[in-house]
Amino acid sequence: MSLGRIAVRAAVAYLYLLITTRMSGKSVVGQATPFEFLVALILGDLIDDALWAEVSMAKFGAAVSSILVCDALVKLGAFRSRAFFHLVNGRSHVLLRDGRVDRDQLRSQQLSEADLAHLLRQKGVTDWNDVHLALIERGHDLSVIKRPNAQPATKEDRERTP
């Protein structure tokens, strides 16, 4: 296959993927659910097949469209059913409550105390006793809710003091 033909196939595949993924409402990669990650992997493999002419462009388009329709159905199911939403997206888990580590949750999330300490330092927490709740969110980010006395003073606090 000539270089020009490969370039044209790549451009067509890129434009088709760009249009279809924009229409499907893909989120930011860093916020991707496991299912969105799988969709991205499958689409990457499909574009490889299309670039090297292992499949026709029509078959590539049909496969991409089918995957994106399945993804849309999963999203619709997650929107309509809370149980399905949690199955697809997961749940938040409390790792630290009032300064105490939940070792079972750490284990279930495949994290060590050193990992937790690292995540807390990234959030500016050095004293675990200042933390009311530390949750690992569905997107695998750590949310930290500090105890009220550990929060920095705000303008509203100043206005309330005599």
Side-chain angles (χ1 to χ4, degrees):
M1 183 172 8
S2 72
L3 293 177
R5 189 164 174 184
I6 291 171
V8 169
R9 289 178 76 85
V12 169
Y14 174 80
L15 289 173
Y16 186 75
L17 282 174
L18 178 68
I19 291 166
T20 54
T21 55
R22 284 291 175 206
M23 287 173 42
S24 72
K26 290 287 132 204
S27 60
V28 178
V29 172
Q31 299 172 342
T33 66
F35 282 96
E36 289 172 332
F37 179 69
L38 288 175
V39 168
L41 283 176
I42 293 168
L43 293 179
D45 184 54
L46 290 174
I47 199 166
D48 177 62
D49 294 344
L51 286 179
W52 302 113
E54 294 173 7
V55 297
S56 70
M57 293 306 283
K59 289 179 181 177
F60 166 76
V64 167
S65 298
S66 298
I67 294 299
L68 293 177
V69 165
C70 289
D71 186 51
L73 291 172
V74 167
K75 286 181 178 179
L76 181 63
F79 178 73
R80 295 195 180 259
S81 165
R82 187 168 193 80
F84 190 66
F85 175 85
H86 289 303
L87 174 70
V88 172
N89 295 303
R91 295 177 182 261
S92 299
H93 299 278
V94 176
L95 302 178
L96 187 68
R97 182 184 308 270
D98 296 323
R100 291 190 170 158
V101 177
D102 185 335
R103 285 180 176 64
D104 291 335
Q105 283 300 327
L106 276 181
R107 196 175 310 111
S108 76
Q109 296 303 309
Q110 299 178 354
L111 294 171
S112 67
E113 284 193 37
D115 295 329
L116 178 59
H118 172 76
L119 293 170
L120 288 168
R121 281 192 307 275
Q122 286 182 326
K123 297 293 183 178
V125 175
T126 55
D127 185 356
W128 293 16
N129 290 316
D130 289 344
V131 176
H132 172 59
L133 288 175
L135 301 105
I136 194 83
E137 300 291 353
R138 293 187 316 258
H140 304 289
D141 289 329
L142 188 72
S143 294
V144 176
I145 302 168
K146 292 184 178 180
R147 291 181 184 203
N149 59 351
Q151 300 279 356
T154 64
K155 184 178 177 182
E156 292 80 23
D157 293 333
R158 189 179 76 206
E159 292 170 357
R160 282 187 277 177
T161 57

